[in-house]
Amino acid sequence: MKKALYFLILILSYPQLHAQTYEQNVRSIVSALAADSLQKAELMIHETLNLDPTRKSNAILYQYLGEIYQRQGQNDKALEAYGNGMEFSPSSPDLRLGRASLYLQLNNEEKALADYNEVLTAEQDNEEALFFRAYIYSQQRRYKEARADYKHLLEINPMHEDGRLGLAILNSKDGRPREAMEQLDALVQFHPTHVRHYLARSGLYTERKEYEKAMKDIESALELEPKNPECYLTRASLYLTMKKKKLAQQDCKTAIKLGASPEQVTPLLGAIR
């Protein structure tokens, strides 16, 4: 009798114990991710999913799994994980934003755009979706639509640094150099330690054939980050414009040593030859 009662209590308490194990695992997964222990987090996610395969909160576990695979470069698995998560939570903005970022990384702009559109249909003020949709529109030369998204973003968050830089670059592309320069001047003033603003302004100076000012901005960037390959690639491009091929070649070699990708360097080396 006592033995039977013990098993009855065990059976009745199982769902609660089961739930506690699930929640404990989720906390451990979050801790592993915070410690950058991706392999441990991945194993625990699979273990936790097996505990309760139909639980709605599995959506967040699949999101974590997608992010892990994406960081590891296992792109097919990452897409599958994001898709599995959406089966539990089709309207989750985080899952769609994660998948969209991966599509963008894979240069699949149309699928990324579709996900960003879905997010913005549900959340019209989502800053991440607005910024990246504007970026895609700009890449596709859909400048009117890009401008609308950047302006909306900056209405929501006037100090959104990436949004302000994106709009400045858009104005440069769209034949508004004066506005672009004013915006880049402001960014350099507000963020004097951020290299990318100096490099962007250098590019605009180069287009205007103000080479001395362009070089000064690159030198400012190099003082801040002397091991940033982007600085050397930007200077190599300026040297090419100034027909100083040997100096451009030297900067290309330095950029490669500092980790620049072949995709970045090849066009410059091709122009040198």
Side-chain angles (χ1 to χ4, degrees):
M1 181 67 179
K2 288 183 180 179
K3 190 174 181 180
L5 182 59
Y6 169 78
F7 281 113
L8 177 60
I9 293 171
L10 186 62
I11 290 168
L12 290 173
S13 65
Y14 176 74
Q16 183 179 356
L17 291 171
H18 189 70
Q20 288 175 349
T21 302
Y22 185 98
E23 298 299 337
Q24 288 167 356
N25 279 12
V26 170
R27 285 193 289 271
S28 296
I29 290 164
V30 172
S31 297
L33 289 171
D36 214 27
S37 301
L38 300 187
Q39 187 174 7
K40 179 181 177 182
E42 180 188 346
L43 290 171
M44 291 201 69
I45 288 171
H46 287 297
E47 177 185 324
T48 309
L49 288 170
N50 288 332
L51 283 174
D52 194 347
T54 62
R55 187 165 175 153
K56 190 174 181 180
S57 58
N58 284 343
I60 187 68
L61 295 181
Y62 279 114
Q63 180 192 329
Y64 290 152
L65 193 59
E67 290 170 359
I68 289 169
Y69 285 140
Q70 187 171 347
R71 288 175 65 182
Q72 293 174 335
Q74 299 186 67
N75 297 326
D76 290 339
K77 285 187 175 182
L79 290 173
E80 183 181 4
Y82 288 132
N84 287 338
M86 287 178 202
E87 291 180 11
F88 289 90
S89 182
S91 60
S92 167
D94 291 331
L95 282 162
R96 286 201 178 274
L97 289 171
R99 188 171 71 174
S101 73
L102 179 53
Y103 279 137
L104 200 54
Q105 183 181 322
L106 296 172
N107 296 316
N108 193 332
E109 291 182 352
E110 289 306 320
K111 287 190 175 181
L113 189 58
D115 273 338
Y116 289 129
N117 284 338
E118 287 289 335
V119 172
L120 288 167
T121 297
E123 299 180 5
Q124 64 177 356
D125 292 341
N126 187 289
E127 293 186 15
E128 182 177 342
L130 281 168
F131 172 75
F132 283 107
R133 189 172 73 173
Y135 168 78
I136 293 171
Y137 282 151
S138 180
Q139 292 295 103
Q140 296 177 342
R141 299 180 184 275
R142 297 164 65 175
Y143 296 147
K144 184 177 180 180
E145 292 159 293
R147 187 176 304 281
D149 275 351
Y150 280 132
K151 285 189 172 181
H152 185 180
L153 173 60
L154 293 173
E155 285 170 4
I156 299 165
N157 181 0
M159 297 307 294
H160 194 290
E161 187 178 350
D162 289 335
R164 295 179 71 183
L165 179 59
L167 183 58
I169 293 170
L170 171 63
N171 281 328
S172 177
K173 289 181 178 180
D174 199 22
R176 302 188 186 190
R178 182 181 61 79
E179 290 178 50
M181 185 60 77
E182 288 174 355
Q183 289 159 341
L184 288 169
D185 285 342
L187 281 166
V188 169
Q189 182 179 355
F190 285 124
H191 307 283
T193 61
H194 293 194
V195 162
R196 55 189 173 151
H197 305 322
Y198 289 100
L199 297 183
R201 191 171 67 176
S202 172
L204 195 54
Y205 278 135
T206 301
E207 289 178 11
R208 294 165 61 161
K209 298 184 179 180
E210 297 182 53
Y211 301 142
E212 187 175 341
K213 289 181 179 179
M215 187 64 74
K216 186 176 179 181
D217 269 349
I218 296 171
E219 288 170 355
S220 296
L222 280 166
E223 286 177 13
L224 291 166
E225 295 183 15
K227 294 185 178 181
N228 186 335
E230 291 291 337
C231 297
Y232 294 94
L233 291 174
T234 303
R235 192 168 67 180
S237 180
L238 175 58
Y239 279 142
L240 274 174
T241 303
M242 297 168 69
K243 302 187 185 304
K244 297 181 178 182
K245 291 188 175 183
K246 286 186 178 180
L247 291 173
Q249 189 173 39
Q250 288 175 11
D251 274 349
C252 283
K253 289 179 179 179
T254 302
I256 291 170
K257 288 178 183 178
L258 292 172
S261 68
E263 291 79 10
Q264 293 175 296
V265 181
T266 299
L268 289 171
L269 290 175
I272 291 169
R273 298 189 186 108

